[in-house]
Amino acid sequence: MREGLDQWDFVIAAYAVGVLGTLAMVAWSWISMKRAEARREKARRK
């Protein structure tokens, strides 16, 4: 007995992981950039 697996489930899961990972990295870098800008402004005011 052979069970037929649908490869599209794996393709969709791979794309979902890739998209979510990319969005997480973009959010992380944006937050880091904002923190660095705030530190720079704080250093300029001193």
Side-chain angles (χ1 to χ4, degrees):
M1 181 175 209
R2 183 171 179 242
E3 185 177 333
L5 295 175
D6 188 17
Q7 80 264 12
W8 286 109
D9 294 335
F10 297 104
V11 172
I12 291 169
Y15 272 106
V17 167
V19 168
L20 290 175
T22 301
L23 290 176
M25 290 292 289
V26 167
W28 181 25
S29 63
W30 185 75
I31 291 168
S32 296
M33 180 185 65
K34 289 296 185 182
R35 286 181 183 164
E37 288 175 350
R39 283 194 313 264
R40 183 191 64 199
E41 288 300 321
K42 185 178 176 183
R44 283 185 178 180
R45 289 186 191 133
K46 286 186 175 181

